[in-house]
Amino acid sequence: MTDAVAEDLEDLYENAPCGYLSLGPDGRIVKSNLTLSVWIGLSQEELLGKRLRDLLNVAGSIFYETHFAPLLRMQGFFNEVALDFITAQGAKLPVLANALERRDAEGNLLFTRVTIFQASDRRLYERELVEARAAAERGLELERSAAELREQFIAVLGHDLRNPLAGIEAGLRRIQRMGVTDATPAMLDLMFQSVDRMKNLIDDVLDLTRSRLGGGLPLQIEPGRPLAPTLRQIVDELQVAYPDREIDDQFDLSDSVDCDHGRLGQLLSNLLGNALTHGAEDQPIEIRGTTQDGYFKLWVANGGDPIPPAAMERLFQPFYRGEVRASLNGLGLGLYIASQIAQAHAGKMSVTSDPDRTVFTLVMPTRQPDTREVGSDSG
């Protein structure tokens, strides 16, 4: 070999577009090229005697020793192993490493050749691919959820609007056919009740839409206004609608509660309506409201069969109605909207259920931001 050829080969080794390492039988570096030294900021003399793991970060060193070093001993090579070198300046250098052992005729290890390729751009590209795939999967899942929500919305709303509309239509046809009679006022009362049911359904749909769009439910906070009268009014209204049911309510609100009275009244109405629908008719419904240590706590309890564990996970999801009588079916949004009202007040809804009773509980701070519209994150 001429000196010129030898010089070319030496230059090819030292200034190759990749790093070279030669490891002795004990795993220590016996030779390296200039390219690797430039990349990591250590001279070739400084690299002598180091182990490959000494060039890696802590996590990479552990992973190398527990995974790739045994793989190298078993099969004599590994390809495209992703590692992170730590430079002399403490920076991370992503690389891909290939290794190949050289053994003598008796199978004794002579040395191991290792080639190192910078992988910063490749790692970035791979991360971008992973992130893009994750974003696409999230988008697909959101689209599936939206499609399912639309289907549920159309089916449930169409079903539940049909009954009050049918009642109004029947009443109008009877008045049209028979004219005004002694039965007309009672018939008009029933029609107005049907109108109220439709209005409540539409209000629930609007609340669902607001929460699903991410803006949360709008609040009008009224600092200092007594809350107990608002809650008692809700109880009185439902007691009139269910005169045969026993409702035991007690409100001990020693501190004022900054809140949207209409929304908390809506929350209690939903919880109490749920208790009246699902609770045992021969057992009283208990309602308690207290303030303590800066928090307002409201709970509604009813007897009856416990809620099945599988149903517990879905109670606060929209359109979940459980097993209810057809005459009492609504959109299945009551508990979902109650949970959204709680979130809008920086509070939380919870539920416990056993053979003795089922209890829905609201806990929220008594102090809210200044009077203004406040939205909750719908999650």
Side-chain angles (χ1 to χ4, degrees):
M1 181 183 299
T2 65
D3 292 342
V5 172
E7 185 176 345
D8 286 344
L9 290 176
E10 182 67 17
D11 180 71
L12 176 61
Y13 174 82
E14 293 292 349
N15 299 295
C18 62
Y20 285 119
L21 284 175
S22 292
L23 306 178
D26 60 356
R28 297 183 181 276
I29 297 174
V30 295
K31 188 176 182 181
S32 64
N33 70 343
L34 183 61
T35 299
L36 182 62
S37 291
V38 172
W39 284 354
I40 63 177
L42 295 175
S43 68
Q44 291 166 286
E45 290 75 15
E46 291 175 311
L47 288 173
L48 291 177
K50 291 184 179 294
R51 297 181 182 273
L52 181 58
R53 69 186 184 198
D54 297 332
L55 306 180
L56 307 175
N57 60 8
V58 175
S61 176
I62 294 173
F63 202 68
Y64 175 80
E65 289 296 327
T66 56
H67 289 74
F68 299 124
L71 180 66
L72 180 62
R73 287 194 295 270
M74 284 189 297
Q75 65 182 25
F77 68 94
F78 61 67
N79 293 320
E80 294 191 348
V81 169
L83 300 171
D84 287 326
F85 279 12
I86 298 300
T87 69
Q89 295 75 33
K92 184 171 69 173
L93 177 66
V95 302
L96 290 176
N98 297 329
L100 178 65
E101 290 183 344
R102 177 73 178 273
R103 296 180 178 271
D104 61 20
E106 286 74 32
N108 299 312
L109 178 64
L110 299 176
F111 55 84
T112 303
R113 294 190 179 99
V114 182
T115 55
I116 308 296
F117 300 89
Q118 286 203 46
S120 301
D121 291 340
R122 174 169 173 166
R123 296 276 188 90
L124 177 61
Y125 176 67
E126 289 173 348
R127 282 197 299 269
E128 289 175 346
L129 283 179
V130 170
E131 292 171 358
R133 179 176 179 178
E137 290 176 348
R138 287 194 300 271
L140 181 59
E141 184 60 32
L142 288 174
E143 182 59 31
R144 287 174 179 167
S145 298
E148 181 180 355
L149 185 64
R150 285 193 296 269
E151 292 175 2
Q152 290 177 325
F153 169 76
I154 293 170
V156 176
L157 183 61
H159 174 273
D160 289 336
L161 281 178
R162 187 178 295 114
N163 289 340
L165 278 173
I168 294 172
E169 181 182 17
L172 290 174
R173 289 188 182 280
R174 181 170 178 176
I175 293 173
Q176 184 183 47
R177 185 175 66 254
M178 301 178 62
V180 177
T181 66
D182 292 341
T184 299
M187 204 176 314
L188 289 174
D189 287 340
L190 292 175
M191 292 166 63
F192 280 122
Q193 291 176 22
S194 296
V195 170
D196 288 338
R197 284 185 61 195
M198 294 173 65
K199 288 170 59 179
N200 290 335
L201 290 173
I202 293 171
D203 287 341
D204 283 350
V205 170
L206 291 176
D207 286 342
L208 171 70
T209 303
R210 292 189 188 101
S211 65
R212 284 290 185 172
L213 289 177
L217 300 181
L219 301 183
Q220 289 292 340
I221 304 298
E222 300 179 78
R225 178 182 168 187
L227 179 59
T230 299
L231 301 178
R232 287 197 175 93
Q233 180 182 351
I234 299 299
V235 175
D236 291 342
E237 289 175 357
L238 286 172
Q239 184 70 83
V240 171
Y242 294 84
D244 297 330
R245 301 294 294 276
E246 181 181 351
I247 303 176
D248 175 18
D249 64 288
Q250 296 180 25
F251 302 109
D252 181 18
L253 308 183
S254 55
D255 299 327
S256 63
V257 181
D258 296 347
C259 64
D260 184 318
H261 283 243
R263 287 296 187 186
L264 280 195
Q266 181 184 9
L267 180 146
L268 176 57
S269 179
N270 288 349
L271 296 183
L272 182 51
N274 184 74
L276 290 166
T277 299
H278 298 279
E281 297 182 2
D282 60 345
Q283 298 184 38
I285 294 172
E286 296 181 2
I287 304 173
R288 299 291 184 269
T290 61
T291 54
Q292 186 177 3
D293 298 330
Y295 284 90
F296 167 60
K297 182 177 180 180
L298 175 70
W299 55 264
V300 178
N302 62 265
D305 295 333
I307 301 172
M312 291 279 281
E313 300 177 0
R314 301 176 55 194
L315 283 178
F316 297 110
Q317 296 179 9
F319 302 120
Y320 183 71
R321 302 191 286 186
E323 298 296 329
V324 298
R325 296 182 294 276
S327 61
L328 297 174
N329 276 351
L331 283 175
L333 296 175
L335 293 179
Y336 171 76
I337 292 172
S339 70
Q340 295 298 298
I341 293 172
Q343 289 184 34
H345 285 87
K348 184 177 181 180
M349 288 294 311
S350 62
V351 58
T352 59
S353 187
D354 57 41
D356 293 326
R357 65 178 188 171
T358 295
V359 184
F360 285 87
T361 303
L362 161 71
V363 177
M364 56 172 274
T366 57
R367 294 289 173 263
Q368 298 288 328
D370 294 336
T371 303
R372 59 184 175 85
E373 277 203 346
V374 182
S376 75
D377 185 357
S378 65

